[in-house]
């Protein structure tokens, strides 16, 4: 069953509330002040039963220019508008302003209702119709059906119902899949029940027991008890007016303007990039102008940065802009917003949010225009590639979901398309797959290869470069897992070699100069000739005249080559010596019960300085076991 919201719009006193009453029997003016003044102030709500068992949610808005803010909070959820124009009054300022607002909000469908027909004769009606047709030119409602009604006599009401049903067939359905989002329009608390919020379910569906977050505060809540059209339901879906009971939170913790939802990527922003259309009726808009920014049911103050260096926007012009918000807005890519001037409070324009996580752009920065243009074109595959290239790193599905702010289904479809078209490549990571565009992969691999070569050149005695310092030197802040995936890609393409966790260029290895080879030989010989009393590290430094880093590198190479063995950081022996010592100790202990330091000296010629670390080494190796001052068989 289709769910959608029908909203009213039109100048004050043009019969909106009376029309809803005539259609539904509900008087949506509930406030005492509304009754006393005979005008609507707040949003009114009702349900309209249509043919085929369809029930539409009705939102009635106030026409008074002082309450445009309330009108906006209602209009943000409209799927269809009933634009009312009184037959005895014609098109008036708020007719025009409301029309501009619903147009900027992207409301594509509606019916024009000429009300109070009982107060006008045929000639007047004709004039008003012409008036209306003129006002609708160039808007989404230009071809909307026009119905003449009187709430007093009942004229035209059936015709209007039919017109609404007809439009309802065309209204594009909001997406009810998955995560939900509701801009809160009312908050109240009911005795014995607690805090209740109402709003129009913008997207997704919400079920009893669902977890949700109130933004921008980030407060987690659980949804209990959902009502649609005054009845308890287990689940509500996009396009319905809903009331949610939120146990455990007080009325003070949530207000009109907040967004409640389960979308994983809902987040408060103090900057937004967008595309702005300035109304023809507006005054020129200067760069950095301070305006009222409306999104969902919220109004905040903002400055408009005209991007690309424009100093001023003329009426009717359009531009890419950055909004600098004075309080957070919780918007996502593709959302609509409305701008009103600070004073006088009139609607001056609006448009679409293109980036909810933008960097700060300078007024003159022209490079931002192209990516924003791509975002506006809304080609999802292109958007994905754009985001990967903007981030300059391979991204996972969940990162892409977060950054594109599109639906999972859309992402899947676009990824499949991009992969099969060769526009994206997959990089398999440990737990997840990364997606990268071929040009970005080339850039990253070239950087990796270049850095590997340069770092290795700086340390030619090493067999290669360690990963971590490499990762840290990469220009992009790549995580360990994605860096590992990149290394694998480079290795599988033969652009680097990996040995014992170290990277080098193919066939690179270490390169020792003639002199270093000679130095290494001196060290080797010295250690061999030292038998069981070789010079320790410090003495080796003196003998060879090398600094400690160089000596350590050369010793490392000798160990890798199997020429020497290391007992502790100071103590190195020629290969074979340790085996020899082990054999002798074992055969000694096969005949004698215990072995002392003096025995070892006699056996190997090792002085006390060397015997102790040797014995400790064999203890660790579980050849011997310490027993007082002696060693016994393990
Ligand atoms: N004669 C006649 N009067 C009407 C008709 N519809 C509304 N009215 C009167 O017009 C006045 C304004 O009607 P509302 O329905 O409150 O107008 P509104 O558009 O809701 O006004 P706001 O919400 O304040 O913008 C009321 O006094 C109604 O009784 C109609 O069809 N015929
Ligand atoms: Mg009203």
């Amino acid at each position: 069953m289709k769910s959608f919201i029908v909203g009213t719009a039109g100048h004050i006193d043009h019969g909106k509330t009376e029309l809803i009453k005539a259609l539904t029997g509900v008087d949506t003016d509930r406030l005492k002040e509304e009754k006393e003044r005979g005008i609507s102030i707040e949003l009114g709500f009702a349900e309209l039963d249509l043919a085929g068992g369809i029930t539409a949610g009705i939102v009635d808005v106030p026409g008074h220019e002082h309450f445009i803010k309330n009108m906006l909070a209602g209009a943000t959820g409209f799927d269809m508008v009933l634009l009312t124009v009184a037959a005895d009054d014609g098109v008036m300022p708020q007719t025009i302003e409301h029309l501009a607002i619903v147009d900027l909000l992207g409301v594509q469908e509606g019916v024009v209702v000429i009300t109070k027909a009982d107060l006008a004769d045929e000639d007047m009606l004709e004039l008003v119709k012409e008036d209306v047709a003129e006002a609708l030119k160039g808007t989404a409602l230009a071809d909307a059906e026009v119905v003449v009604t009187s709430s007093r006599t009942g004229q035209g009401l059936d015709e209007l119902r039919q017109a609404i049903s007809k439009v309802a067939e065309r209204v594009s359905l909001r997406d009810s899949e998955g995560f939900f989002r509701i801009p809160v329009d009312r908050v109240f608390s009911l005795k014995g029940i607690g805090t209740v919020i109402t709003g129009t379910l913008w997207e997704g569906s919400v079920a009893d027991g669902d977890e949700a977050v109130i933004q921008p505060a980030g407060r987690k809540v659980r949804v209990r008890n959902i009502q649609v059209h005054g009845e308890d339901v287990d689940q509500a879906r996009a396009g319905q007016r809903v009331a949610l009971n939120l146990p455990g939170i007080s009325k003070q913790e949530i207000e009109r303007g907040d967004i409640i939802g389960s979308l994983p990527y809902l987040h408060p922003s103090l900057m937004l990039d967008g595309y702005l259309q300035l109304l023809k009726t507006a005054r020129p808009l200067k760069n950095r102008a301070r305006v009222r920014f409306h999104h969902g049911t919220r109004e905040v103050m903002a400055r408009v940065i005209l991007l690309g260096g424009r100093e001023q926007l003329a009426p009717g012009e359009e531009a890419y802009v950055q909004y600098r918000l004075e309080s957070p807005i919780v918007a996502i890519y593709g959302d609509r917003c409305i701008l009103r001037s600070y004073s006088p409070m009139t609607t001056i324009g609006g448009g679409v949010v293109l980036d909810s996580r933008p960097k700060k752009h300078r007024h003159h920065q022209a490079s931002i225009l192209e990516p924003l243009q791509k975002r506006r074109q809304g080609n999802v595959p292109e958007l994905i590639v754009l985001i990967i290239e903007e981030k300059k790193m391979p991204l996972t599905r969940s990162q892409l979901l977060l950054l594109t702010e599109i639906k999972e289904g859309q992402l899947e479809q676009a990824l499949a398309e991009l992969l099969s078209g060769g526009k994206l490549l997959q990089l398999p990571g440990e737990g997840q797959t990364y997606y990268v565009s071929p040009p970005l992969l080339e850039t990253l691999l070239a950087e990796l290869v270049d850095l590997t070569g340069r770092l290795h050149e700086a340390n030619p005695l090493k067999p290669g470069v360690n990963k971590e310092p490499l990762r840290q030197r990469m220009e992009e802040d790549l995580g360990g897992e994605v860096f590992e995936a990149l290394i694998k890609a480079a290795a599988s393409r033969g652009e680097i070699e990996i040995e014992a966790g170290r990277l080098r260029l193919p066939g690179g290895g270490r390169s020792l100069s003639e002199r270093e080879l000679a130095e290494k030989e001196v060290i080797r010989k010295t250690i061999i000739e030292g038998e069981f009393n070789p010079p320790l590290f410090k003495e080796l430094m003196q003998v060879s005249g090398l600094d400690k880093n160089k000596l350590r590198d050369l010793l490392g190479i000798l160990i890798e080559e199997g020429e020497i063995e290391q007992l502790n950081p100071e103590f190195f022996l020629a290969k074979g010596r340790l085996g020899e010592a082990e054999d002798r100790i074992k055969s000694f202990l096969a005949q004698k019960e215990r072995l002392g330091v003096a025995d070892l000296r006699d056996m190997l010629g090792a002085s006390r300085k060397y015997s102790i670390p040797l014995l400790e080494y064999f203890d660790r190796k579980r050849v011997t076991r310490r027993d007082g001052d002696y060693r016994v068989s393990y």
Side-chain angles (χ1 to χ4, degrees):
M1 203 182 74
K2 220 164 181 173
S3 301
F4 59 93
I5 304 293
V6 180
T8 61
H11 197 70
I12 185 167
D13 259 358
H14 277 200
K16 299 179 286 298
T17 303
E18 204 64 35
L19 182 69
I20 297 310
K21 195 166 152 193
L23 285 172
T24 68
V26 176
D27 182 1
T28 58
D29 282 349
R30 295 153 294 123
L31 303 179
K32 193 163 154 247
E33 194 187 348
E34 289 178 324
K35 292 280 179 228
E36 280 169 11
R37 294 171 65 180
I39 60 168
S40 301
I41 295 169
E42 261 302 338
L43 297 172
F45 304 101
E47 295 97 49
L48 177 64
D49 293 322
L50 295 166
I54 295 177
T55 303
I58 297 257
V59 177
D60 180 37
V61 306
H64 196 298
E65 59 176 324
H66 284 178
F67 308 124
I68 291 270
K69 188 176 161 181
N70 294 344
M71 181 273 173
L72 277 163
T76 193
F78 288 6
D79 295 301
M80 178 199 305
V81 62
L82 302 181
L83 181 72
T84 62
V85 183
D88 61 340
D89 206 18
V91 171
M92 295 297 282
Q94 271 63 57
T95 318
I96 301 288
E97 187 168 12
H98 284 198
L99 181 61
I101 287 169
V102 293
D103 206 43
L104 288 168
L105 287 175
V107 180
Q108 294 293 315
E109 302 286 357
V111 179
V112 178
V113 191
I114 300 192
T115 57
K116 305 195 190 182
D118 56 292
L119 296 182
D121 58 23
E122 277 304 313
D123 289 349
M124 237 172 128
L125 269 178
E126 279 316 305
L127 275 177
V128 171
K129 279 185 187 171
E130 278 170 31
D131 214 11
V132 168
E134 185 60 32
L136 293 179
K137 261 189 200 155
T139 72
L141 294 186
D143 298 320
E145 191 174 337
V146 180
V147 181
V148 178
T149 67
S150 165
S151 302
R152 206 47 53 94
T153 67
Q155 178 192 339
L157 294 180
D158 285 339
E159 204 187 323
L160 177 57
R161 275 203 189 83
Q162 282 167 21
I164 295 172
S165 291
K166 230 187 289 168
V167 175
E169 284 168 25
R170 296 200 303 265
V171 164
S172 50
L173 267 187
R174 289 167 182 263
D175 192 347
S176 283
E177 284 306 305
F179 302 109
F180 77 94
R181 192 157 60 123
I182 303 171
V184 173
D185 51 38
R186 276 186 304 168
V187 183
F188 45 86
S189 85
L190 293 178
K191 261 221 178 89
I193 291 180
T195 302
V196 175
I197 65 102
T198 69
T200 299
L201 196 40
W202 261 3
E203 62 180 314
S205 30
V206 55
D208 210 339
D210 274 358
E211 278 191 13
V213 186
I214 300 167
Q215 293 283 20
R219 173 89 152 82
K220 288 211 171 79
V221 285
R222 194 174 282 280
V223 174
R224 184 76 50 75
N225 200 302
I226 304 168
Q227 286 200 340
V228 174
H229 303 319
E231 286 183 17
D232 288 355
V233 294
D234 292 332
Q235 193 178 38
R237 55 179 191 280
Q240 291 183 321
R241 292 273 327 150
V242 296
L244 306 181
N245 176 210
L246 304 175
I249 83 154
S250 70
K251 197 180 143 188
Q252 283 69 37
E253 288 175 275
I254 184 164
E255 58 181 8
R256 170 179 285 183
D258 286 351
I259 291 211
I260 178 167
S262 62
L263 269 184
Y265 35 82
L266 282 185
H267 67 108
S269 306
L270 283 170
M271 288 191 290
L272 294 170
D273 285 355
Y275 188 65
L276 166 66
Q277 292 169 261
L278 195 63
L279 291 175
K280 288 197 184 82
T281 51
R283 283 189 290 194
L285 186 77
K286 286 201 172 69
N287 178 47
R288 297 193 62 79
R290 192 159 179 258
V291 299
R292 297 169 189 277
F293 182 96
H294 292 259
H295 168 265
T297 51
R298 173 142 283 161
E299 174 190 18
V300 302
M301 298 304 299
R303 289 208 184 267
V304 186
I305 311 297
L306 300 175
L307 298 174
R310 294 174 81 158
E311 292 306 330
Q312 167 165 309
L313 209 56
E317 281 191 323
E318 308 185 344
Y320 292 100
V321 299
Q322 179 160 72
Y323 299 109
R324 307 261 170 84
L325 308 160
E326 293 177 18
S327 321
I329 283 284
V330 182
I332 64 174
Y333 172 59
D335 282 356
R336 301 283 176 147
C337 61
I338 297 288
L339 300 192
R340 289 194 308 144
S341 59
Y342 179 63
S343 174
M345 284 199 264
T346 54
T347 304
I348 56 171
V352 61
V353 172
L354 295 177
D355 194 346
S356 73
R357 303 168 193 268
K359 292 199 179 108
K360 193 169 184 168
H361 310 310
R362 278 172 294 109
H363 172 45
H364 287 283
Q365 188 181 335
S367 60
I368 187 60
L369 296 177
E370 197 190 322
L372 286 181
Q373 212 168 347
K374 281 197 181 168
R375 283 173 179 269
R376 186 162 77 94
Q377 283 156 1
N379 177 324
V380 174
E382 272 193 16
L383 179 68
I384 292 170
V385 174
L386 176 73
I387 282 173
I388 291 174
E389 298 201 330
E390 273 178 359
K391 283 273 154 194
K392 293 204 185 79
M393 58 174 84
L395 298 173
T396 62
R397 262 190 172 75
S398 48
Q399 288 171 321
L400 281 171
L401 212 52
L402 203 76
L403 293 168
T404 53
E405 301 179 331
I406 56 174
K407 300 271 179 179
E408 232 170 319
Q410 281 179 296
L411 180 69
E412 290 308 320
Q413 202 186 332
L415 282 179
E417 197 179 303
L418 287 164
L419 289 172
S420 70
K423 300 233 171 78
L424 278 191
L425 300 169
Q426 283 176 309
L427 275 187
E430 278 297 302
Q432 342 193 40
T433 302
Y434 293 85
Y435 296 86
V436 61
S437 67
L440 177 61
L441 182 64
E442 291 312 314
T443 309
L444 293 174
L445 287 179
E447 193 189 343
L448 174 69
V449 169
D450 177 60
L451 261 181
T452 303
R454 281 193 289 127
L455 286 187
H456 196 184
E457 211 168 275
N459 289 289
L461 297 190
K462 296 260 165 45
V465 189
N466 281 324
K467 289 175 187 171
E468 189 51 25
L470 247 180
R471 189 182 73 83
Q472 286 174 11
R473 278 185 180 76
M474 291 284 287
E475 207 174 293
E476 302 76 18
D477 186 17
L478 301 176
E481 192 180 314
V482 67
F483 187 62
E484 196 64 43
L486 202 62
I487 289 173
K488 274 200 199 123
S492 74
R493 287 168 41 154
E495 294 186 3
I496 52 166
E497 282 178 4
I498 311 175
E499 190 193 305
R502 288 178 161 153
L503 274 58
R504 63 180 181 226
L505 299 185
R510 59 167 69 81
S511 54
L512 272 63
S513 62
E514 288 291 316
R515 178 166 168 192
E516 284 158 345
L517 285 169
E519 287 163 347
K520 187 178 75 157
E521 186 53 21
V522 168
I523 298 166
R524 191 181 72 93
K525 272 203 176 133
T526 314
I527 291 174
I528 290 173
E529 284 162 8
E531 298 192 346
F532 281 99
N533 297 303
L536 297 180
F537 189 85
K538 284 216 180 80
E539 294 154 347
L540 279 171
M541 274 172 70
Q542 284 160 6
V543 173
S544 64
L546 296 171
D547 70 27
K548 63 173 184 282
N549 288 332
K550 191 64 158 290
L551 177 60
R552 200 166 285 137
D553 283 345
L554 292 174
L555 284 167
I557 294 170
L558 285 167
I559 291 170
E560 271 177 39
E561 290 172 350
E563 293 284 348
I564 60 169
E565 293 170 313
Q566 182 170 19
L567 261 87
N568 64 32
E570 297 288 306
F571 188 0
F572 302 85
L573 281 173
K575 74 169 169 197
R577 295 267 186 239
L578 283 171
E580 186 187 334
E582 183 174 334
D583 288 346
R584 294 219 198 157
I585 290 170
K586 274 183 176 160
S587 60
F588 183 94
L589 284 174
Q591 290 160 25
K592 302 243 169 77
E593 213 163 286
R594 51 186 212 178
L595 173 128
V597 171
D599 297 323
L600 198 68
R601 189 187 56 218
D602 295 343
M603 206 187 314
L604 304 176
S607 72
R608 191 179 172 84
K609 181 162 92 174
Y610 298 96
S611 306
I612 304 276
L614 272 168
L615 285 171
E616 280 169 357
Y617 171 81
F618 288 117
D619 288 347
R620 283 200 301 275
K621 240 191 125 193
R622 302 192 166 177
V623 174
T624 51
R625 184 160 54 83
R626 188 166 181 170
D627 180 12
D629 286 342
Y630 292 91
R631 294 301 193 282
V632 295
S633 274
Y634 188 81

